[in-house]
Amino acid sequence: MAEKLSANEQAGRNYLKETKPRVFEKVSKFTEKYNRGESIAIIQLQYRYMCNMLCEHCSIEAYQKNAAGKRNITPADVKKLADQADEMGLARFVISGGEPTTFPDLDEVVEAIGPERFFINSDSNGYLLAEKAEHMKKIGIDRIQLSIDSLNPEEHDAFRRKPGAWQRAMDGIKECKRIGLPLYIQTVVTKERLHSQEFLDFVKFYNDMDLMVFITFAKPIGAYEGHFESMIDQKDLEFERELEKKYRLCTHLTPGYGLHMGCIGVKGFVSVTQYGDVQPCPYFHCSIGNILDTPFKDIIENGMRIKYFGEHYDECFLAQDVPWVKKYVADKIYGQPVPVPYEKVFGEEDWTQHPYWKL
């Protein structure tokens, strides 16, 4: 479903046209590709699970504990993935982890992706951002996605289990603004927090700093496993969409690139683990294939055959559909080594009845 580009998105297109013509050309074809039933996925690369924090809401602890006998992807593997993604007309990478500012080979990873052919975001908790930002911009990172949990420094630091984390993140913001490295704020929002004055104050604070706030809705996985009470419902989502009319605020369900995709799993986003497994999103710990033994295009096409990702659904299953989570996550993934192969999660009734999603 196509929609008019927002002013910010049009400005982004203009930026790409001037600075990254190859990326601009690919992004300009997104609507056409989507209407043909092709994926336009952002590739989140969980390159390493090394991190300098122990956050309460961490969703990758199970991966850190499940490393025995697995091969780690290398910059050479990243280049092969990026080459294939480029051939598919994909245009965006997010370097994630773990914490990218701690990666000793971050330069090689960025070079392998190719800044001239992809728009590259990097996640960060901000602790090392002030000292790393200038170098990250120099090597070709286009934007920082800075994760912050609270306006209260003590609460944020306790949540991150890292004294001084909030102030170091603020220092990182200041440095990014000084050198002209774009960034926005990511924050986890539970059902309770969404309706709180604290969250509204949080949004206003960062909007006043001319920063967009991106909401990650709480999902019952990782440290939140089994906490279904933290999930939102449709009324909560409608409430959030009203807030978007007043503030610079968005979620992964917010229309982007002129398209209203609903759930963006596979069709608009995939997550690649440190071990090469491809997941429909970072929070659904199910593998639809592995880049170390299967062409990326084949993995994406395989994922699109699962109806929840190949068809249009105007909801986030993991954040708001309790019966879905109980059926496909609690019953199939909880307690299992992750990621769980898709064959153990989905049955024949879960395959799409047509080759692509219904618009």
Side-chain angles (χ1 to χ4, degrees), residues 52-53 127 153-154 156-168:
N52 52 5
M53 293 190 183
Y127 197 77
E154 290 76 20
H156 175 84
D157 293 358
F159 196 71
R160 296 277 165 167
R161 297 170 180 154
K162 190 78 169 181
W166 190 87
Q167 186 56 57
R168 295 285 289 261

Side-chain angles (χ1 to χ4, degrees), residues 62 78 129 164 183 218 269 329:
V78 173
L129 186 57
L183 77 157
F269 193 100
V329 181

Side-chain angles (χ1 to χ4, degrees), residues 302-325:
N302 182 57
M304 296 283 279
R305 294 188 182 101
I306 300 169
K307 66 181 181 181
Y308 302 109
F309 312 120
E311 300 177 13
H312 181 94
Y313 288 87
D314 195 21
E315 67 172 339
C316 175
F317 301 111
L318 279 167
Q320 63 185 112
D321 193 332
V322 175
W324 193 93
V325 171

Side-chain angles (χ1 to χ4, degrees), residues 1-66:
M1 187 183 301
E3 301 195 1
K4 184 179 179 180
L5 289 178
S6 68
N8 284 339
E9 288 180 318
Q10 188 58 60
R13 292 279 181 100
N14 294 339
Y15 166 82
L16 290 177
K17 188 174 183 179
E18 295 175 2
T19 63
K20 294 194 170 188
R22 188 167 171 183
V23 179
F24 172 78
E25 182 181 358
K26 289 190 286 186
V27 170
S28 297
K29 296 178 181 178
F30 273 3
T31 298
E32 178 185 343
K33 286 174 63 63
Y34 182 83
N35 289 338
R36 287 201 304 264
E38 298 178 19
S39 173
I40 55 171
I42 297 169
I43 300 171
Q44 186 211 48
L45 185 67
Q46 298 177 355
Y47 181 69
R48 288 291 180 269
Y49 293 130
M50 60 191 301
C51 190
N52 52 5
M53 293 190 183
L54 295 169
C55 306
E56 287 186 13
H57 66 352
C58 183
S59 62
I60 52 91
E61 287 181 349
Y63 292 83
Q64 293 170 318
K65 298 174 182 177
N66 191 33

